[in-house]
Amino acid sequence: MKVLAGNSNRPLAEAISTCLGVPLTKASVRRFSDMEVFVEILENVRGEDVFVVQSTSFPANDNLMELLVTIDALRRGSARRITAVLPYYGYARQDRKTGPRTPISAKLVANLITQAGANRVLTMDLHAGQIQGFFDIPTDNLMAAPVFEKDIRQSFADINEVTIVSPDVGGVVRARALAKRLDVDLAIIDKRRERAGVSEVMNIIGDADGRRCILLDDIVDSGGTLCNAAVALMEAGAKSVHAFCTHGVLSGGAVARVAVSPLEQLVTTDSIQATEAVRGSRNIRQLTIAPLLAEAIMRISEERSVSSLFS
């Protein structure tokens, strides 16, 4: 087995390498003067089982191109099997046509990864589960739920006070799965989005009065949805509001928005490398998914079950 890291999230790749006890494969991933991507694998990979760790986060296009060129370099270097490990799958929110003459970019990216030469994909908390079907190669979609469950049990003295809240109807399946693992109540925020990046909370389905509410989502980008939901929950009598989100995109003024919101804490994973603003925030922290990814990588390499990680 060999583990190779792109430039999108080097700290996570190094943590995975440490968990596996396998050193990162030496490679040069650099840019020409016109920002053209060049990749050179500095070790022999012929006949090897290679895992490429690369989130397609900001800058999404650069990191995606890095991944594609790296996969091509490994294929031409005669690697036996190439697994693209994408802790965060960019373009996942474009999983369907939202209007006439619009793309399904999540499918396009899946085609690019497959055609570049990947034999398998390992990712986490896809925005929509059907994206797995966009690939014509085996795809494992891990869940951050076990990581969140452990942290919630350690952080809340009385788990019976907790209510898991889905910030929209689309996230109900994800929220219900965590609520079931914790054996706690579930609530749903019913909202109407007037335009991209702007959300309006309409009402709460479920009881938030006197509860410690935990908002659960896969992606936090602008933070508007979570902050509006937190306001609505506090107005409904919640004791406190926390948020757990797998992918902390946190673009634009999201960190500042979260800082002045009623959210006591926003917890994300390190699927996306934290910015300086995130690291300096008083109410944002990251949990590592390196052990979970490392275990999945080991199971794939040894041809063992990955789904049993969550049973």
Side-chain angles (χ1 to χ4, degrees), residues 47-267:
E48 296 281 1
D49 192 8
V50 185
F51 294 82
V52 185
V53 182
Q54 177 82 333
S55 283
T56 50
S57 50
F58 177 84
N61 298 332
D62 285 359
N63 287 330
L64 174 60
M65 198 65 200
E66 260 190 30
L67 173 66
L68 299 176
V69 174
T70 300
I71 291 171
D72 186 70
L74 290 167
R75 180 171 62 87
R76 295 177 189 278
S78 301
R80 176 173 58 85
R81 180 172 64 178
I82 304 165
T83 301
V85 181
L86 292 89
Y88 171 66
Y89 184 81
Y91 286 97
R93 286 171 285 183
Q94 298 183 50
D95 63 313
R96 64 195 184 281
K97 284 178 69 71
T98 56
R101 297 168 297 283
T102 57
I104 305 178
S105 302
K107 170 59 174 170
L108 172 62
V109 171
N111 288 344
L112 290 170
I113 292 170
T114 303
Q115 291 301 314
N119 304 111
R120 192 179 192 99
V121 169
L122 174 63
T123 187
M124 173 166 282
D125 274 345
L126 287 169
H127 184 63
Q130 66 265 23
I131 293 174
Q132 286 179 279
F134 291 177
F135 288 92
D136 294 324
I137 55 178
T139 304
D140 294 299
N141 181 28
L142 302 180
M143 298 181 294
V147 179
F148 288 160
E149 178 190 2
K150 181 179 178 182
D151 189 77
I152 290 169
R153 290 190 184 279
Q154 291 174 347
S155 301
F156 292 85
D158 187 1
I159 199 71
N160 294 319
E161 288 186 338
V162 170
T163 293
I164 301 297
V165 183
S166 174
D168 53 38
V169 175
V172 171
V173 173
R174 185 182 301 105
R176 185 187 293 120
L178 182 59
K180 185 177 179 181
R181 294 178 74 101
L182 292 165
D183 193 23
V184 298
D185 292 338
L186 174 69
I188 304 165
I189 301 288
D190 174 35
K191 77 174 193 301
R192 181 177 301 163
R193 188 182 294 275
E194 300 296 337
R195 61 182 187 276
V198 178
S199 64
E200 179 185 355
V201 173
M202 302 300 289
N203 53 65
I204 300 168
I205 304 170
D207 184 19
D209 188 27
R211 308 293 293 173
R212 299 197 181 278
C213 295
I214 297 177
L215 288 157
L216 182 71
D217 212 348
D218 61 326
I219 299 172
V220 52
D221 189 349
S222 66
T225 295
L226 288 182
C227 293
N228 289 346
V231 170
L233 289 167
M234 292 302 291
E235 289 176 350
K239 281 186 179 179
S240 64
V241 182
H242 293 69
F244 282 72
C245 300
T246 307
H247 310 297
V249 176
L250 295 169
S251 61
V255 174
R257 192 172 293 113
V258 170
V260 298
S261 75
L263 286 171
E264 286 197 12
Q265 199 167 64
L266 168 61
V267 181

Side-chain angles (χ1 to χ4, degrees), residues 249-305:
V249 176
L250 295 169
S251 61
V255 174
R257 192 172 293 113
V258 170
V260 298
S261 75
L263 286 171
E264 286 197 12
Q265 199 167 64
L266 168 61
V267 181
T268 69
T269 73
D270 55 355
S271 64
I272 297 174
Q273 187 172 351
T275 62
E276 193 65 39
V278 171
R279 288 193 292 270
S281 175
R282 63 169 183 81
N283 61 342
I284 301 177
R285 65 183 174 92
Q286 281 193 329
L287 300 174
T288 185
I289 53 172
L292 181 59
L293 285 171
E295 179 64 22
I297 287 170
M298 182 63 74
R299 287 172 180 241
I300 291 170
S301 181
E302 295 177 351
E303 305 292 349
R304 292 189 287 131
S305 170

